[in-house]
PDB file of all heavy atoms in Angstrom:
ATOM      1  N   GLU A   9       1.952   3.867   7.115  1.00 88.00           N
ATOM      2  CA  GLU A   9       2.220   5.293   7.003  1.00 88.00           C
ATOM      3  C   GLU A   9       3.177   5.709   8.126  1.00 88.00           C
ATOM      4  O   GLU A   9       3.411   4.965   9.070  1.00 88.00           O
ATOM      5  CB  GLU A   9       0.907   6.082   7.129  1.00 88.00           C
ATOM      6  CG  GLU A   9      -0.120   5.762   6.056  1.00 88.00           C
ATOM      7  CD  GLU A   9       0.163   6.446   4.733  1.00 88.00           C
ATOM      8  OE1 GLU A   9       1.228   7.109   4.619  1.00 88.00           O
ATOM      9  OE2 GLU A   9      -0.665   6.333   3.813  1.00 88.00           O
ATOM     10  N   HIS A  10       3.712   6.911   8.026  1.00 81.00           N
ATOM     11  CA  HIS A  10       4.687   7.371   9.022  1.00 81.00           C
ATOM     12  C   HIS A  10       4.078   7.444  10.420  1.00 81.00           C
ATOM     13  O   HIS A  10       4.794   7.393  11.419  1.00 81.00           O
ATOM     14  CB  HIS A  10       5.246   8.730   8.606  1.00 81.00           C
ATOM     15  CG  HIS A  10       6.137   8.675   7.403  1.00 81.00           C
ATOM     16  ND1 HIS A  10       7.327   7.968   7.385  1.00 81.00           N
ATOM     17  CD2 HIS A  10       5.995   9.201   6.165  1.00 81.00           C
ATOM     18  CE1 HIS A  10       7.890   8.073   6.194  1.00 81.00           C
ATOM     19  NE2 HIS A  10       7.107   8.819   5.431  1.00 81.00           N
ATOM     20  N   SER A  11       2.741   7.514  10.490  1.00 79.00           N
ATOM     21  CA  SER A  11       2.081   7.514  11.800  1.00 79.00           C
ATOM     22  C   SER A  11       2.255   6.184  12.517  1.00 79.00           C
ATOM     23  O   SER A  11       2.154   6.101  13.739  1.00 79.00           O
ATOM     24  CB  SER A  11       0.589   7.805  11.634  1.00 79.00           C
ATOM     25  OG  SER A  11      -0.044   6.764  10.893  1.00 79.00           O
ATOM     26  N   GLY A  12       2.499   5.115  11.735  1.00 77.00           N
ATOM     27  CA  GLY A  12       2.696   3.795  12.313  1.00 77.00           C
ATOM     28  C   GLY A  12       1.418   3.026  12.601  1.00 77.00           C
ATOM     29  O   GLY A  12       1.463   1.914  13.124  1.00 77.00           O
ATOM     30  N   THR A  13       0.285   3.612  12.259  1.00 80.00           N
ATOM     31  CA  THR A  13      -0.996   2.936  12.532  1.00 80.00           C
ATOM     32  C   THR A  13      -1.681   2.473  11.251  1.00 80.00           C
ATOM     33  O   THR A  13      -2.066   1.307  11.130  1.00 80.00           O
ATOM     34  CB  THR A  13      -1.944   3.856  13.320  1.00 80.00           C
ATOM     35  OG1 THR A  13      -2.088   5.092  12.620  1.00 80.00           O
ATOM     36  CG2 THR A  13      -1.389   4.126  14.711  1.00 80.00           C
ATOM     37  N   ASP A  14      -1.844   3.350  10.282  1.00 88.00           N
ATOM     38  CA  ASP A  14      -2.540   2.995   9.042  1.00 88.00           C
ATOM     39  C   ASP A  14      -1.573   2.389   8.032  1.00 88.00           C
ATOM     40  O   ASP A  14      -0.404   2.798   7.938  1.00 88.00           O
ATOM     41  CB  ASP A  14      -3.194   4.237   8.419  1.00 88.00           C
ATOM     42  CG  ASP A  14      -4.273   4.814   9.337  1.00 88.00           C
ATOM     43  OD1 ASP A  14      -4.920   4.026  10.049  1.00 88.00           O
ATOM     44  OD2 ASP A  14      -4.443   6.045   9.331  1.00 88.00           O
ATOM     45  N   TYR A  15      -2.076   1.426   7.267  1.00 90.00           N
ATOM     46  CA  TYR A  15      -1.246   0.821   6.232  1.00 90.00           C
ATOM     47  C   TYR A  15      -1.056   1.781   5.062  1.00 90.00           C
ATOM     48  O   TYR A  15      -1.966   2.531   4.695  1.00 90.00           O
ATOM     49  CB  TYR A  15      -1.864  -0.495   5.753  1.00 90.00           C
ATOM     50  CG  TYR A  15      -1.673  -1.627   6.738  1.00 90.00           C
ATOM     51  CD1 TYR A  15      -2.727  -2.071   7.531  1.00 90.00           C
ATOM     52  CD2 TYR A  15      -0.424  -2.224   6.891  1.00 90.00           C
ATOM     53  CE1 TYR A  15      -2.542  -3.088   8.456  1.00 90.00           C
ATOM     54  CE2 TYR A  15      -0.229  -3.244   7.811  1.00 90.00           C
ATOM     55  CZ  TYR A  15      -1.282  -3.671   8.594  1.00 90.00           C
ATOM     56  OH  TYR A  15      -1.098  -4.673   9.507  1.00 90.00           O
ATOM     57  N   ASP A  16       0.131   1.720   4.471  1.00 91.00           N
ATOM     58  CA  ASP A  16       0.473   2.557   3.318  1.00 91.00           C
ATOM     59  C   ASP A  16      -0.047   1.868   2.064  1.00 91.00           C
ATOM     60  O   ASP A  16       0.633   1.023   1.484  1.00 91.00           O
ATOM     61  CB  ASP A  16       1.994   2.754   3.250  1.00 91.00           C
ATOM     62  CG  ASP A  16       2.411   3.544   2.027  1.00 91.00           C
ATOM     63  OD1 ASP A  16       1.615   4.389   1.579  1.00 91.00           O
ATOM     64  OD2 ASP A  16       3.524   3.309   1.522  1.00 91.00           O
ATOM     65  N   LEU A  17      -1.242   2.207   1.667  1.00 91.00           N
ATOM     66  CA  LEU A  17      -1.895   1.541   0.539  1.00 91.00           C
ATOM     67  C   LEU A  17      -1.451   2.171  -0.777  1.00 91.00           C
ATOM     68  O   LEU A  17      -1.492   3.389  -0.939  1.00 91.00           O
ATOM     69  CB  LEU A  17      -3.413   1.632   0.677  1.00 91.00           C
ATOM     70  CG  LEU A  17      -4.003   1.032   1.958  1.00 91.00           C
ATOM     71  CD1 LEU A  17      -5.506   1.275   2.009  1.00 91.00           C
ATOM     72  CD2 LEU A  17      -3.709  -0.461   2.042  1.00 91.00           C
ATOM     73  N   ALA A  18      -1.045   1.319  -1.730  1.00 88.00           N
ATOM     74  CA  ALA A  18      -0.618   1.796  -3.042  1.00 88.00           C
ATOM     75  C   ALA A  18      -1.749   1.629  -4.050  1.00 88.00           C
ATOM     76  O   ALA A  18      -2.746   0.940  -3.803  1.00 88.00           O
ATOM     77  CB  ALA A  18       0.617   1.027  -3.502  1.00 88.00           C
ATOM     78  N   LYS A  19      -1.581   2.282  -5.182  1.00 85.00           N
ATOM     79  CA  LYS A  19      -2.543   2.174  -6.276  1.00 85.00           C
ATOM     80  C   LYS A  19      -1.799   1.716  -7.516  1.00 85.00           C
ATOM     81  O   LYS A  19      -0.746   2.256  -7.849  1.00 85.00           O
ATOM     82  CB  LYS A  19      -3.213   3.529  -6.522  1.00 85.00           C
ATOM     83  CG  LYS A  19      -4.292   3.519  -7.595  1.00 85.00           C
ATOM     84  CD  LYS A  19      -4.913   4.914  -7.736  1.00 85.00           C
ATOM     85  CE  LYS A  19      -6.003   4.939  -8.780  1.00 85.00           C
ATOM     86  NZ  LYS A  19      -6.579   6.303  -8.946  1.00 85.00           N
ATOM     87  N   GLU A  20      -2.343   0.725  -8.211  1.00 82.00           N
ATOM     88  CA  GLU A  20      -1.695   0.190  -9.397  1.00 82.00           C
ATOM     89  C   GLU A  20      -2.642   0.269 -10.588  1.00 82.00           C
ATOM     90  O   GLU A  20      -3.833   0.565 -10.448  1.00 82.00           O
ATOM     91  CB  GLU A  20      -1.238  -1.258  -9.160  1.00 82.00           C
ATOM     92  CG  GLU A  20      -0.191  -1.370  -8.063  1.00 82.00           C
ATOM     93  CD  GLU A  20       0.310  -2.788  -7.851  1.00 82.00           C
ATOM     94  OE1 GLU A  20      -0.303  -3.720  -8.414  1.00 82.00           O
ATOM     95  OE2 GLU A  20       1.294  -2.959  -7.137  1.00 82.00           O
ATOM     96  N   GLY A  21      -2.088  -0.012 -11.767  1.00 77.00           N
ATOM     97  CA  GLY A  21      -2.851   0.078 -13.003  1.00 77.00           C
ATOM     98  C   GLY A  21      -4.136  -0.727 -12.969  1.00 77.00           C
ATOM     99  O   GLY A  21      -4.132  -1.898 -12.611  1.00 77.00           O
ATOM    100  N   GLY A  22      -5.244  -0.098 -13.366  1.00 84.00           N
ATOM    101  CA  GLY A  22      -6.534  -0.767 -13.409  1.00 84.00           C
ATOM    102  C   GLY A  22      -7.342  -0.645 -12.134  1.00 84.00           C
ATOM    103  O   GLY A  22      -8.536  -0.963 -12.128  1.00 84.00           O
ATOM    104  N   HIS A  23      -6.729  -0.191 -11.042  1.00 91.00           N
ATOM    105  CA  HIS A  23      -7.432  -0.031  -9.768  1.00 91.00           C
ATOM    106  C   HIS A  23      -7.995   1.388  -9.664  1.00 91.00           C
ATOM    107  O   HIS A  23      -7.329   2.355 -10.033  1.00 91.00           O
ATOM    108  CB  HIS A  23      -6.497  -0.296  -8.588  1.00 91.00           C
ATOM    109  CG  HIS A  23      -6.156  -1.733  -8.401  1.00 91.00           C
ATOM    110  ND1 HIS A  23      -6.930  -2.602  -7.664  1.00 91.00           N
ATOM    111  CD2 HIS A  23      -5.112  -2.472  -8.869  1.00 91.00           C
ATOM    112  CE1 HIS A  23      -6.379  -3.805  -7.681  1.00 91.00           C
ATOM    113  NE2 HIS A  23      -5.278  -3.751  -8.402  1.00 91.00           N
ATOM    114  N   SER A  24      -9.203   1.486  -9.130  1.00 91.00           N
ATOM    115  CA  SER A  24      -9.843   2.794  -8.979  1.00 91.00           C
ATOM    116  C   SER A  24      -9.579   3.411  -7.611  1.00 91.00           C
ATOM    117  O   SER A  24     -10.037   4.513  -7.337  1.00 91.00           O
ATOM    118  CB  SER A  24     -11.356   2.663  -9.187  1.00 91.00           C
ATOM    119  OG  SER A  24     -11.917   1.763  -8.246  1.00 91.00           O
ATOM    120  N   ASP A  25      -8.850   2.691  -6.759  1.00 93.00           N
ATOM    121  CA  ASP A  25      -8.588   3.227  -5.419  1.00 93.00           C
ATOM    122  C   ASP A  25      -7.260   2.685  -4.901  1.00 93.00           C
ATOM    123  O   ASP A  25      -6.661   1.766  -5.484  1.00 93.00           O
ATOM    124  CB  ASP A  25      -9.723   2.837  -4.456  1.00 93.00           C
ATOM    125  CG  ASP A  25      -9.994   3.921  -3.422  1.00 93.00           C
ATOM    126  OD1 ASP A  25      -9.012   4.536  -2.941  1.00 93.00           O
ATOM    127  OD2 ASP A  25     -11.163   4.163  -3.107  1.00 93.00           O
ATOM    128  N   PHE A  26      -6.812   3.250  -3.802  1.00 93.00           N
ATOM    129  CA  PHE A  26      -5.585   2.788  -3.144  1.00 93.00           C
ATOM    130  C   PHE A  26      -5.941   1.582  -2.275  1.00 93.00           C
ATOM    131  O   PHE A  26      -6.602   1.723  -1.251  1.00 93.00           O
ATOM    132  CB  PHE A  26      -4.993   3.912  -2.296  1.00 93.00           C
ATOM    133  CG  PHE A  26      -4.428   5.038  -3.107  1.00 93.00           C
ATOM    134  CD1 PHE A  26      -5.253   6.027  -3.629  1.00 93.00           C
ATOM    135  CD2 PHE A  26      -3.074   5.096  -3.373  1.00 93.00           C
ATOM    136  CE1 PHE A  26      -4.736   7.073  -4.383  1.00 93.00           C
ATOM    137  CE2 PHE A  26      -2.538   6.139  -4.126  1.00 93.00           C
ATOM    138  CZ  PHE A  26      -3.369   7.119  -4.637  1.00 93.00           C
ATOM    139  N   ARG A  27      -5.490   0.375  -2.702  1.00 95.00           N
ATOM    140  CA  ARG A  27      -5.851  -0.837  -1.953  1.00 95.00           C
ATOM    141  C   ARG A  27      -4.758  -1.914  -1.984  1.00 95.00           C
ATOM    142  O   ARG A  27      -5.016  -3.070  -1.646  1.00 95.00           O
ATOM    143  CB  ARG A  27      -7.158  -1.420  -2.502  1.00 95.00           C
ATOM    144  CG  ARG A  27      -7.129  -1.886  -3.951  1.00 95.00           C
ATOM    145  CD  ARG A  27      -8.393  -2.668  -4.300  1.00 95.00           C
ATOM    146  NE  ARG A  27      -9.554  -1.822  -4.360  1.00 95.00           N
ATOM    147  CZ  ARG A  27     -10.109  -1.371  -5.509  1.00 95.00           C
ATOM    148  NH1 ARG A  27      -9.574  -1.718  -6.669  1.00 95.00           N
ATOM    149  NH2 ARG A  27     -11.167  -0.604  -5.492  1.00 95.00           N
ATOM    150  N   ILE A  28      -3.547  -1.545  -2.365  1.00 93.00           N
ATOM    151  CA  ILE A  28      -2.477  -2.541  -2.457  1.00 93.00           C
ATOM    152  C   ILE A  28      -1.637  -2.508  -1.186  1.00 93.00           C
ATOM    153  O   ILE A  28      -0.922  -1.538  -0.919  1.00 93.00           O
ATOM    154  CB  ILE A  28      -1.564  -2.291  -3.675  1.00 93.00           C
ATOM    155  CG1 ILE A  28      -2.383  -2.004  -4.931  1.00 93.00           C
ATOM    156  CG2 ILE A  28      -0.625  -3.480  -3.864  1.00 93.00           C
ATOM    157  CD1 ILE A  28      -3.308  -3.105  -5.351  1.00 93.00           C
ATOM    158  N   LEU A  29      -1.736  -3.567  -0.386  1.00 94.00           N
ATOM    159  CA  LEU A  29      -0.839  -3.707   0.760  1.00 94.00           C
ATOM    160  C   LEU A  29       0.489  -4.251   0.264  1.00 94.00           C
ATOM    161  O   LEU A  29       0.527  -5.156  -0.575  1.00 94.00           O
ATOM    162  CB  LEU A  29      -1.433  -4.643   1.809  1.00 94.00           C
ATOM    163  CG  LEU A  29      -2.652  -4.117   2.565  1.00 94.00           C
ATOM    164  CD1 LEU A  29      -3.924  -4.692   1.955  1.00 94.00           C
ATOM    165  CD2 LEU A  29      -2.571  -4.471   4.026  1.00 94.00           C
ATOM    166  N   HIS A  30       1.573  -3.731   0.784  1.00 92.00           N
ATOM    167  CA  HIS A  30       2.883  -4.104   0.264  1.00 92.00           C
ATOM    168  C   HIS A  30       3.925  -4.021   1.373  1.00 92.00           C
ATOM    169  O   HIS A  30       3.720  -3.367   2.408  1.00 92.00           O
ATOM    170  CB  HIS A  30       3.286  -3.178  -0.890  1.00 92.00           C
ATOM    171  CG  HIS A  30       3.272  -1.725  -0.508  1.00 92.00           C
ATOM    172  ND1 HIS A  30       4.361  -1.078   0.025  1.00 92.00           N
ATOM    173  CD2 HIS A  30       2.266  -0.796  -0.559  1.00 92.00           C
ATOM    174  CE1 HIS A  30       4.050   0.180   0.280  1.00 92.00           C
ATOM    175  NE2 HIS A  30       2.782   0.386  -0.053  1.00 92.00           N
ATOM    176  N   PHE A  31       5.036  -4.687   1.128  1.00 91.00           N
ATOM    177  CA  PHE A  31       6.203  -4.549   1.997  1.00 91.00           C
ATOM    178  C   PHE A  31       7.370  -4.176   1.102  1.00 91.00           C
ATOM    179  O   PHE A  31       7.906  -5.019   0.373  1.00 91.00           O
ATOM    180  CB  PHE A  31       6.498  -5.853   2.750  1.00 91.00           C
ATOM    181  CG  PHE A  31       7.686  -5.748   3.676  1.00 91.00           C
ATOM    182  CD1 PHE A  31       7.599  -5.052   4.870  1.00 91.00           C
ATOM    183  CD2 PHE A  31       8.895  -6.333   3.337  1.00 91.00           C
ATOM    184  CE1 PHE A  31       8.699  -4.933   5.717  1.00 91.00           C
ATOM    185  CE2 PHE A  31      10.001  -6.231   4.178  1.00 91.00           C
ATOM    186  CZ  PHE A  31       9.904  -5.531   5.368  1.00 91.00           C
ATOM    187  N   LYS A  32       7.723  -2.875   1.134  1.00 83.00           N
ATOM    188  CA  LYS A  32       8.750  -2.339   0.236  1.00 83.00           C
ATOM    189  C   LYS A  32       8.401  -2.774  -1.188  1.00 83.00           C
ATOM    190  O   LYS A  32       7.276  -2.618  -1.631  1.00 83.00           O
ATOM    191  CB  LYS A  32      10.152  -2.819   0.658  1.00 83.00           C
ATOM    192  CG  LYS A  32      10.471  -2.585   2.123  1.00 83.00           C
ATOM    193  CD  LYS A  32      10.390  -1.129   2.514  1.00 83.00           C
ATOM    194  CE  LYS A  32      10.720  -0.920   3.986  1.00 83.00           C
ATOM    195  NZ  LYS A  32      10.478   0.470   4.396  1.00 83.00           N
ATOM    196  N   ASP A  33       9.379  -3.363  -1.898  1.00 76.00           N
ATOM    197  CA  ASP A  33       9.107  -3.925  -3.214  1.00 76.00           C
ATOM    198  C   ASP A  33       9.440  -5.423  -3.230  1.00 76.00           C
ATOM    199  O   ASP A  33       9.820  -5.997  -4.245  1.00 76.00           O
ATOM    200  CB  ASP A  33       9.890  -3.202  -4.310  1.00 76.00           C
ATOM    201  CG  ASP A  33      11.380  -3.062  -3.985  1.00 76.00           C
ATOM    202  OD1 ASP A  33      11.806  -3.556  -2.923  1.00 76.00           O
ATOM    203  OD2 ASP A  33      12.113  -2.454  -4.787  1.00 76.00           O
ATOM    204  N   ILE A  34       9.264  -6.050  -2.060  1.00 86.00           N
ATOM    205  CA  ILE A  34       9.502  -7.498  -1.943  1.00 86.00           C
ATOM    206  C   ILE A  34       8.345  -8.135  -1.161  1.00 86.00           C
ATOM    207  O   ILE A  34       8.555  -8.963  -0.273  1.00 86.00           O
ATOM    208  CB  ILE A  34      10.854  -7.803  -1.261  1.00 86.00           C
ATOM    209  CG1 ILE A  34      10.972  -7.047   0.075  1.00 86.00           C
ATOM    210  CG2 ILE A  34      12.009  -7.501  -2.186  1.00 86.00           C
ATOM    211  CD1 ILE A  34      12.157  -7.498   0.920  1.00 86.00           C
ATOM    212  N   THR A  35       7.132  -7.766  -1.522  1.00 90.00           N
ATOM    213  CA  THR A  35       5.962  -8.248  -0.783  1.00 90.00           C
ATOM    214  C   THR A  35       5.866  -9.762  -0.790  1.00 90.00           C
ATOM    215  O   THR A  35       5.612 -10.390   0.245  1.00 90.00           O
ATOM    216  CB  THR A  35       4.677  -7.646  -1.382  1.00 90.00           C
ATOM    217  OG1 THR A  35       4.822  -6.224  -1.459  1.00 90.00           O
ATOM    218  CG2 THR A  35       3.468  -7.990  -0.537  1.00 90.00           C
ATOM    219  N   GLY A  36       6.050 -10.360  -1.962  1.00 89.00           N
ATOM    220  CA  GLY A  36       5.948 -11.815  -2.054  1.00 89.00           C
ATOM    221  C   GLY A  36       6.961 -12.522  -1.182  1.00 89.00           C
ATOM    222  O   GLY A  36       6.645 -13.507  -0.505  1.00 89.00           O
TER     223      GLY A  36
END
C-alpha cells in the first residue's frame, strides 16, 4: 500500500477476501 508497510492484497474470482499478493502484473 502507499503507506509502504502493508501489502496491497488483491481479490480475484472465487475468493471471498483480499488475499492475493502480487508484484504489478508480473508476479511470476
Side-chain angles (χ1 to χ4, degrees):
E9 299 281 5
H10 290 297
S11 64
T13 54
D14 297 328
Y15 284 105
D16 177 30
L17 302 176
K19 183 179 181 182
E20 297 182 349
H23 287 273
S24 59
D25 214 321
F26 290 81
R27 63 170 70 101
I28 314 300
L29 290 99
H30 56 89
F31 181 74
K32 309 301 180 187
D33 50 2
I34 52 169
T35 308

